[in-house]
Amino acid sequence: MLCGLVCTVAPVGICAPPVTHPQQWPAARSAGLIDPGSEARITELLRQMSLEEQVGQVIQTDIGGVTPEDLRRYPLGSILAGGDSGPHGDERAAPAVWLALAHEFRAVSVERRAGHTPIPVLFGIDAVHGHNNIAGAAIYPHNIGLGAAHDPQLLERIGAATAEEVAVTGIDWAFAPTLAVPQDVRWGRSYEGYAQDPQLVARYATAMVVGLQGPSSLNGKLQAGHVAATAKHFLGDGGTAQGEDQGDDQINEEELIARHAQGYPAAIDAGVLTVMASYSSWQGQKMHGNRALLTEVLKGRMGFAGFVVGDWNAHAQLSGCKPGRCAAAFNAGVDMFMAPYAWKELYASTLAQVRSGEISRERLEDAVRRILRVKMKLGLFESARPYEGRTELIGSGAHRALAREAVRKSLVLLKNDGVLPIPSGARVLVTGPGARDIGMQCGGWTISWQGTGNSNTDFPHAESIYDGIRSAVRAGGGTVVDDADPRPDVAVVVFGEQPYAETSGDRKLAVDNLRAPLGQLRALRKQGIPVVAVFLSGRPLWSNPEINASNAFVAAWLPGTEGGGVADVLVGDASGRARTDFTGRLSFVWPATVFPAMPGSPKGAILFPLEYGSSYAHPAPVAHLSENPAPR
Ligand code: BGC
Ligand code: BGC
């Protein structure tokens, strides 16, 4: 077969798609998605809808490029707010403004007018660590930190709390959870994955889907304060060579199944309503064009009865496709295009392809049926939405307390020579580039796509790590001092990665190139001041010099808005007894060199294995580490 794919497994020019054996994949069944009553209603709707309306359902575009009035002419099935999109171009719009926008779009979609079948538009957003595009929302630790918590029940509660905040703003659908099993942490999206252990990812998949959507038997999810979830990115997003974002998984089918697919049957069995296709490729073939995996495996063997949404303009990457035209992705099994660009052209070309037979009527009807099924299960056709407008739930005390609990449970203690816990009566220097920077605590996918450009005033309910420690030591009669203080009892230095998302987070080596704090750590030690390092990062990075230069080293990941959770564990009571112990354990291996380590890497490549974590109750021995970044 001759094709235009970039092909890594066959001679140039001749490219056979990778062979797939669906019967070798785990079987699953979409729980609660199909019932005779809804299916009959869908059949009736399909009968009423014009061909134009059916084609409209399979297209989603971004609120940055569509107005509610546009929906009169283009009956689109869905809209999204991408990472950099806010109502009327304002990323910091108040929750009530988000809700008003949702109302405007919805009103046009269900309007009664001649020649129009009223079908509510579905509104999606990246609520991936809380309702993170909304200023003032409770922001939970990014997934890598939640993985360290090893607590599925916590995940379910976070899912439910996130869904409530999404529902308040009139939005119906969260593009979460990410079920990637990241292998090479040079990947800029490593932090979006829970773990390198596929079984933990599977347990979390169930928990997060149930948290966001409610139990699979629940119809009218929106009425109960739940939203649709998305299992993403199908499949193998975390397995690309060299950790390249949107890259190629050069692995065999057994490994694809055993390592990267495990979260999906769990999510499907829990009733997940949508799956997002991955930008990445497997053996040189782009997932958006992989019919065997999207249709035969996902919808066949795994029994997925919801719909597959494409990723942001990803269809345009298929050979022969462009933003405004791509039958190949649709025919492979993508049911809804995510089409931020050229969506009018895509609507026209898809309509023409159905008329010409390039896309069959059956394929179109199957996609529309799946989309309408999701809308029905959500309760989109019901008008009552009791959570809408309850803006007091955005960043509420209960949600913040939950986020703080998650922070406590996500911290992993990598070293402690006895300096921790800090007695609350102490004189504590809290310093370093991350001490008072809430944007840095939150990382990417926070208000803006990259998480850059945020200042503390964008986080009205949040607490920095500095403020959290200050209130903990004040409670015990201690004080927090600044860099000018000559004699602090102990220094807490907060440093690490600056925010990034997706490709811009890709690195060449597993090392943080912001080495600046090392000098500061060493200078403090030289003055005889004990040092506690709090490392903020989206992945484990080679830190041997910093670990050696510190008396205690805490991997705090990207904890989110509740810096107080760090203080809960680091600061003890007045007598120096711990108030809360460390319970976090690594869900990613920690590298011993600047080269990334993965589970299964040679022993010398791994400094701390999966499940590693010291604690007050069971302190691990402290050793001096090699500072050679790349030993042979
Ligand atoms: C990301 C998805 C995200 C989508 C919408 C894409 O670039 O890969 O994870 O859901 O954008 O923002
Ligand atoms: C959008 C994101 C999207 C990204 C993909 C950004 O402009 O805001 O949502 O994931 O583009 O390229």
Side-chain angles (χ1 to χ4, degrees):
M1 181 172 75
L2 223 68
C3 69
L5 301 174
V6 186
C7 191
T8 54
V9 290
V12 183
I14 314 284
C15 178
V19 180
T20 311
H21 305 87
Q23 69 288 357
Q24 291 177 12
W25 290 66
R29 202 169 135 244
S30 268
L33 262 72
I34 297 185
D35 70 79
S38 309
E39 296 304 309
R41 262 179 91 189
I42 295 168
T43 304
E44 178 53 25
L45 278 171
L46 280 167
R47 209 185 46 74
Q48 287 168 30
M49 292 164 79
S50 65
L51 193 61
E52 286 80 357
E53 286 176 322
Q54 293 195 8
V55 168
Q57 283 300 308
V58 309
I59 295 176
Q60 176 192 60
T61 195
D62 185 271
I63 57 164
V66 64
T67 63
E69 295 69 51
D70 284 333
L71 294 193
R72 291 211 177 84
R73 202 155 145 221
Y74 301 93
L76 304 190
S78 179
I79 50 171
L80 88 148
D84 277 333
S85 306
H88 319 291
D90 180 6
E91 282 186 317
R92 290 168 177 77
V97 178
W98 282 92
L99 176 58
L101 184 79
H103 279 167
E104 283 175 45
F105 276 103
R106 198 186 302 155
V108 178
S109 69
V110 299
E111 193 165 75
R112 307 211 163 267
R113 66 193 128 85
H116 172 65
T117 315
I119 295 177
V121 69
L122 179 64
F123 191 167
I125 197 161
D126 291 287
V128 299
H129 61 148
H131 197 10
N132 46 258
N133 279 292
I134 279 61
I139 305 292
Y140 301 86
H142 265 302
N143 288 346
I144 191 170
L146 298 181
H150 290 77
D151 186 343
Q153 200 262 346
L154 171 72
L155 259 274
E156 189 176 323
R157 288 187 288 143
I158 291 175
T162 301
E164 277 183 13
E165 296 204 20
V166 174
V168 167
T169 55
I171 298 175
D172 318 301
W173 176 18
F175 302 137
T178 294
L179 302 180
V181 185
Q183 297 302 299
D184 187 321
V185 298
R186 290 175 294 181
W187 188 34
R189 304 192 78 162
S190 295
Y191 65 80
E192 296 187 55
Y194 295 119
Q196 290 179 324
D197 168 9
Q199 300 321 317
L200 181 56
V201 173
R203 284 199 295 281
Y204 270 26
T206 306
M208 191 43 99
V209 170
V210 173
L212 285 166
Q213 296 192 167
S216 59
S217 56
L218 177 70
N219 288 332
K221 299 184 186 307
L222 295 168
Q223 286 70 41
H226 289 284
V227 298
T230 308
K232 75 183 187 185
H233 308 81
F234 189 86
L235 184 68
D237 48 354
T240 62
Q242 284 93 50
E244 184 197 355
D245 192 39
Q246 307 187 9
D248 186 26
D249 286 37
Q250 296 162 1
I251 56 177
N252 64 25
E253 190 174 353
E254 286 66 42
E255 195 175 337
L256 192 63
I257 297 171
R259 220 189 278 284
H260 298 285
Q262 297 303 312
Y264 290 89
I268 292 166
D269 285 337
V272 72
L273 290 169
T274 73
V275 169
M276 191 184 292
S278 181
Y279 274 122
S280 58
S281 302
W282 176 44
Q283 295 187 13
Q285 188 187 6
K286 294 231 174 251
M287 280 304 314
H288 277 68
N290 193 323
R291 186 176 184 284
L293 291 183
L294 293 177
T295 298
E296 288 165 35
V297 169
L298 178 62
K299 296 177 182 174
R301 179 75 179 160
M302 293 187 186
F304 175 59
F307 73 82
V308 175
V309 63
D311 203 342
W312 181 274
N313 202 35
H315 57 273
Q317 298 183 3
L318 295 191
S319 117
C321 288
K322 53 181 186 169
R325 181 183 190 92
C326 191
F330 195 75
N331 284 335
V334 171
D335 299 302
M336 180 186 280
F337 292 100
M338 188 185 287
Y341 318 114
W343 57 270
K344 291 181 184 172
E345 199 185 325
L346 185 65
Y347 171 75
S349 71
T350 306
L351 192 56
Q353 286 157 345
V354 175
R355 289 200 170 116
S356 75
E358 194 178 347
I359 291 173
S360 69
R361 292 284 177 125
E362 295 70 48
R363 174 78 265 274
L364 178 66
E365 280 204 7
D366 171 52
V368 177
R369 176 175 290 277
R370 288 167 178 274
I371 292 165
L372 295 179
R373 183 180 290 148
V374 165
K375 291 186 173 186
M376 227 158 254
K377 291 289 150 181
L378 269 174
L380 226 57
F381 288 90
E382 265 73 66
S383 52
R385 300 237 201 176
Y387 280 76
E388 275 192 3
R390 291 181 56 188
T391 51
E392 74 279 5
L393 292 174
I394 303 287
S396 69
H399 294 175
R400 291 188 50 206
L402 177 60
R404 183 167 175 155
E405 174 187 344
V407 174
R408 286 196 291 271
K409 292 179 168 173
S410 70
L411 304 175
V412 181
L413 182 63
L414 297 182
K415 176 182 182 179
N416 182 21
D417 70 2
V419 63
L420 288 177
I422 299 166
S424 58
R427 202 174 168 76
V428 188
L429 166 63
V430 184
T431 185
R436 304 186 201 208
D437 186 340
I438 296 169
M440 195 171 155
Q441 274 170 222
C442 291
W445 296 109
T446 308
I447 304 180
S448 64
W449 177 37
Q450 294 291 319
T452 49
N454 294 325
S455 70
N456 286 0
T457 53
D458 295 320
F459 300 96
H461 312 301
E463 192 171 35
S464 67
I465 293 174
Y466 177 98
D467 285 340
I469 294 178
R470 189 176 54 182
S471 68
V473 298
R474 272 192 184 160
T479 41
V480 160
V481 299
D482 63 20
D483 295 288
D485 191 273
R487 264 312 337 146
D489 298 322
V490 57
V492 178
V493 186
V494 188
F495 62 97
E497 293 190 295
Q498 294 296 324
Y500 53 77
E502 299 193 53
T503 315
S504 61
D506 282 7
R507 298 286 177 265
K508 292 244 169 344
L509 293 170
V511 63
D512 165 24
N513 37 27
L514 302 162
R515 297 275 105 182
L518 185 56
Q520 189 179 15
L521 303 176
R522 287 181 175 152
L524 288 162
R525 286 293 287 281
K526 224 172 168 173
Q527 294 165 60
I529 302 166
V531 171
V532 176
V534 175
F535 189 53
L536 300 177
S537 73
R539 49 193 148 191
L541 292 169
W542 184 71
S543 310
N544 288 14
E546 289 80 3
I547 295 174
N548 283 339
S550 311
N551 300 76
F553 192 97
V554 178
W557 315 110
L558 299 168
T561 47
E562 304 314 312
V566 175
D568 290 340
V569 186
L570 267 55
V571 180
D573 63 17
S575 70
R577 259 194 314 267
R579 292 180 298 144
T580 312
D581 203 351
F582 286 90
T583 53
R585 287 174 284 122
L586 293 179
S587 64
F588 282 59
V589 299
W590 198 281
T593 77
V594 294
F595 301 116
M598 312 167 201
S601 290
K603 241 180 145 215
I606 297 176
L607 181 62
F608 300 118
L610 289 184
E611 310 298 323
Y612 183 87
S614 185
S615 66
Y616 297 137
H618 303 284
V622 166
H624 186 83
L625 307 172
S626 158
E627 297 196 7
N628 181 352
R632 282 164 180 277

mmCIF file of all heavy atoms in Angstrom, residues 62 80-85 126 246 279 311-312 341 445 449 502, ligand 2:
data_model
loop_
_atom_site.group_PDB
_atom_site.id
_atom_site.type_symbol
_atom_site.label_atom_id
_atom_site.label_comp_id
_atom_site.label_asym_id
_atom_site.label_seq_id
_atom_site.Cartn_x
_atom_site.Cartn_y
_atom_site.Cartn_z
ATOM 1 N N ASP A 62 -13.857 26.805 18.957
ATOM 2 C CA ASP A 62 -13.446 27.519 20.166
ATOM 3 C C ASP A 62 -14.201 28.841 20.293
ATOM 4 O O ASP A 62 -14.423 29.540 19.288
ATOM 5 C CB ASP A 62 -11.935 27.777 20.106
ATOM 6 C CG ASP A 62 -11.409 28.401 21.374
ATOM 7 O OD1 ASP A 62 -11.399 29.636 21.492
ATOM 8 O OD2 ASP A 62 -11.017 27.633 22.278
ATOM 9 N N LEU A 80 -15.853 24.909 22.741
ATOM 10 C CA LEU A 80 -14.916 24.746 23.854
ATOM 11 C C LEU A 80 -14.274 26.081 24.163
ATOM 12 O O LEU A 80 -14.256 26.985 23.330
ATOM 13 C CB LEU A 80 -13.816 23.719 23.532
ATOM 14 C CG LEU A 80 -12.528 24.197 22.831
ATOM 15 C CD1 LEU A 80 -11.350 23.370 23.275
ATOM 16 C CD2 LEU A 80 -12.666 24.153 21.331
ATOM 17 N N ALA A 81 -13.751 26.150 25.383
ATOM 18 C CA ALA A 81 -12.866 27.254 25.737
ATOM 19 C C ALA A 81 -11.477 26.638 25.842
ATOM 20 O O ALA A 81 -11.200 25.866 26.763
ATOM 21 C CB ALA A 81 -13.278 27.884 27.056
ATOM 22 N N GLY A 82 -10.602 26.936 24.895
ATOM 23 C CA GLY A 82 -9.226 26.438 24.931
ATOM 24 C C GLY A 82 -8.449 27.129 26.044
ATOM 25 O O GLY A 82 -8.944 28.073 26.679
ATOM 26 N N GLY A 83 -7.238 26.664 26.233
ATOM 27 C CA GLY A 83 -6.425 27.154 27.341
ATOM 28 C C GLY A 83 -6.220 28.661 27.370
ATOM 29 O O GLY A 83 -6.023 29.242 28.437
ATOM 30 N N ASP A 84 -6.263 29.298 26.219
ATOM 31 C CA ASP A 84 -6.049 30.744 26.182
ATOM 32 C C ASP A 84 -7.330 31.518 25.861
ATOM 33 O O ASP A 84 -7.269 32.685 25.496
ATOM 34 C CB ASP A 84 -4.967 31.095 25.146
ATOM 35 C CG ASP A 84 -3.566 30.937 25.725
ATOM 36 O OD1 ASP A 84 -3.402 31.076 26.958
ATOM 37 O OD2 ASP A 84 -2.632 30.678 24.946
ATOM 38 N N SER A 85 -8.483 30.869 25.966
ATOM 39 C CA SER A 85 -9.732 31.533 25.582
ATOM 40 C C SER A 85 -10.586 31.848 26.795
ATOM 41 O O SER A 85 -10.747 31.014 27.678
ATOM 42 C CB SER A 85 -10.551 30.632 24.660
ATOM 43 O OG SER A 85 -9.769 30.228 23.564
ATOM 44 N N ASP A 126 -10.961 22.645 29.645
ATOM 45 C CA ASP A 126 -9.896 21.878 30.302
ATOM 46 C C ASP A 126 -9.918 22.107 31.813
ATOM 47 O O ASP A 126 -9.097 22.852 32.343
ATOM 48 C CB ASP A 126 -8.530 22.281 29.745
ATOM 49 C CG ASP A 126 -8.341 21.824 28.320
ATOM 50 O OD1 ASP A 126 -8.157 20.621 28.111
ATOM 51 O OD2 ASP A 126 -8.406 22.679 27.402
ATOM 52 N N GLN A 246 3.590 15.049 21.083
ATOM 53 C CA GLN A 246 2.966 14.706 19.804
ATOM 54 C C GLN A 246 3.857 13.797 18.951
ATOM 55 O O GLN A 246 3.727 13.753 17.735
ATOM 56 C CB GLN A 246 2.592 15.970 19.009
ATOM 57 C CG GLN A 246 1.739 16.945 19.802
ATOM 58 C CD GLN A 246 1.223 18.111 18.978
ATOM 59 O OE1 GLN A 246 1.358 18.148 17.757
ATOM 60 N NE2 GLN A 246 0.596 19.075 19.637
ATOM 61 N N TYR A 279 -2.734 13.298 19.814
ATOM 62 C CA TYR A 279 -1.921 13.877 18.741
ATOM 63 C C TYR A 279 -0.831 12.910 18.283
ATOM 64 O O TYR A 279 -0.300 13.026 17.189
ATOM 65 C CB TYR A 279 -1.158 15.088 19.280
ATOM 66 C CG TYR A 279 -1.841 16.422 19.282
ATOM 67 C CD1 TYR A 279 -2.001 17.132 20.482
ATOM 68 C CD2 TYR A 279 -2.256 17.037 18.101
ATOM 69 C CE1 TYR A 279 -2.563 18.399 20.500
ATOM 70 C CE2 TYR A 279 -2.815 18.300 18.118
ATOM 71 C CZ TYR A 279 -2.974 18.978 19.314
ATOM 72 O OH TYR A 279 -3.513 20.227 19.336
ATOM 73 N N ASP A 311 -8.421 16.043 19.022
ATOM 74 C CA ASP A 311 -7.700 17.066 19.780
ATOM 75 C C ASP A 311 -7.597 18.333 18.918
ATOM 76 O O ASP A 311 -7.912 18.324 17.727
ATOM 77 C CB ASP A 311 -6.323 16.552 20.226
ATOM 78 C CG ASP A 311 -5.803 17.317 21.448
ATOM 79 O OD1 ASP A 311 -6.310 18.423 21.730
ATOM 80 O OD2 ASP A 311 -4.876 16.817 22.121
ATOM 81 N N TRP A 312 -7.156 19.390 19.537
ATOM 82 C CA TRP A 312 -7.095 20.746 18.978
ATOM 83 C C TRP A 312 -6.465 20.771 17.576
ATOM 84 O O TRP A 312 -5.246 20.656 17.436
ATOM 85 C CB TRP A 312 -6.301 21.599 19.956
ATOM 86 C CG TRP A 312 -6.107 23.037 19.643
ATOM 87 C CD1 TRP A 312 -5.126 23.584 18.862
ATOM 88 C CD2 TRP A 312 -6.871 24.136 20.150
ATOM 89 N NE1 TRP A 312 -5.234 24.944 18.855
ATOM 90 C CE2 TRP A 312 -6.294 25.328 19.634
ATOM 91 C CE3 TRP A 312 -7.995 24.256 20.997
ATOM 92 C CZ2 TRP A 312 -6.791 26.597 19.942
ATOM 93 C CZ3 TRP A 312 -8.482 25.521 21.293
ATOM 94 C CH2 TRP A 312 -7.886 26.663 20.762
ATOM 95 N N TYR A 341 -9.918 26.293 14.117
ATOM 96 C CA TYR A 341 -9.659 27.088 12.902
ATOM 97 C C TYR A 341 -10.471 26.515 11.743
ATOM 98 O O TYR A 341 -10.764 25.325 11.710
ATOM 99 C CB TYR A 341 -8.176 27.053 12.535
ATOM 100 C CG TYR A 341 -7.255 27.199 13.724
ATOM 101 C CD1 TYR A 341 -6.421 26.158 14.122
ATOM 102 C CD2 TYR A 341 -7.253 28.381 14.480
ATOM 103 C CE1 TYR A 341 -5.600 26.274 15.238
ATOM 104 C CE2 TYR A 341 -6.444 28.499 15.591
ATOM 105 C CZ TYR A 341 -5.617 27.447 15.970
ATOM 106 O OH TYR A 341 -4.822 27.565 17.078
ATOM 107 N N TRP A 445 -1.624 25.220 32.455
ATOM 108 C CA TRP A 445 -3.077 25.006 32.501
ATOM 109 C C TRP A 445 -3.676 25.675 33.739
ATOM 110 O O TRP A 445 -4.412 25.062 34.505
ATOM 111 C CB TRP A 445 -3.432 23.512 32.496
ATOM 112 C CG TRP A 445 -3.053 22.770 31.263
ATOM 113 C CD1 TRP A 445 -2.060 21.849 31.152
ATOM 114 C CD2 TRP A 445 -3.653 22.849 29.946
ATOM 115 N NE1 TRP A 445 -2.007 21.359 29.853
ATOM 116 C CE2 TRP A 445 -2.970 21.954 29.107
ATOM 117 C CE3 TRP A 445 -4.710 23.604 29.402
ATOM 118 C CZ2 TRP A 445 -3.284 21.774 27.752
ATOM 119 C CZ3 TRP A 445 -5.022 23.421 28.066
ATOM 120 C CH2 TRP A 445 -4.318 22.517 27.253
ATOM 121 N N TRP A 449 -3.161 29.135 29.156
ATOM 122 C CA TRP A 449 -2.739 27.802 28.677
ATOM 123 C C TRP A 449 -1.392 27.398 29.290
ATOM 124 O O TRP A 449 -1.256 26.347 29.922
ATOM 125 C CB TRP A 449 -2.667 27.849 27.148
ATOM 126 C CG TRP A 449 -2.178 26.601 26.483
ATOM 127 C CD1 TRP A 449 -2.437 25.307 26.860
ATOM 128 C CD2 TRP A 449 -1.365 26.535 25.308
ATOM 129 N NE1 TRP A 449 -1.833 24.444 25.981
ATOM 130 C CE2 TRP A 449 -1.168 25.158 25.023
ATOM 131 C CE3 TRP A 449 -0.802 27.489 24.463
ATOM 132 C CZ2 TRP A 449 -0.414 24.730 23.931
ATOM 133 C CZ3 TRP A 449 -0.058 27.058 23.368
ATOM 134 C CH2 TRP A 449 0.130 25.698 23.116
ATOM 135 N N GLU A 502 2.320 21.585 27.458
ATOM 136 C CA GLU A 502 2.509 20.903 26.177
ATOM 137 C C GLU A 502 3.933 21.051 25.650
ATOM 138 O O GLU A 502 4.904 21.011 26.397
ATOM 139 C CB GLU A 502 1.446 21.369 25.169
ATOM 140 C CG GLU A 502 0.029 21.024 25.668
ATOM 141 C CD GLU A 502 -1.037 21.158 24.610
ATOM 142 O OE1 GLU A 502 -0.900 20.585 23.536
ATOM 143 O OE2 GLU A 502 -2.058 21.840 24.893
HETATM 144 C C1 BGC B 2 -5.106 26.682 23.110
HETATM 145 C C2 BGC B 2 -5.024 25.427 23.881
HETATM 146 C C3 BGC B 2 -4.571 24.385 22.980
HETATM 147 C C4 BGC B 2 -3.289 24.777 22.267
HETATM 148 C C5 BGC B 2 -2.865 23.731 21.290
HETATM 149 C C6 BGC B 2 -3.788 26.995 22.483
HETATM 150 O O1 BGC B 2 -3.848 28.170 21.776
HETATM 151 O O2 BGC B 2 -5.493 27.701 23.948
HETATM 152 O O3 BGC B 2 -6.259 25.091 24.436
HETATM 153 O O4 BGC B 2 -4.377 23.232 23.724
HETATM 154 O O5 BGC B 2 -3.419 25.994 21.629
HETATM 155 O O6 BGC B 2 -1.949 24.168 20.368
#
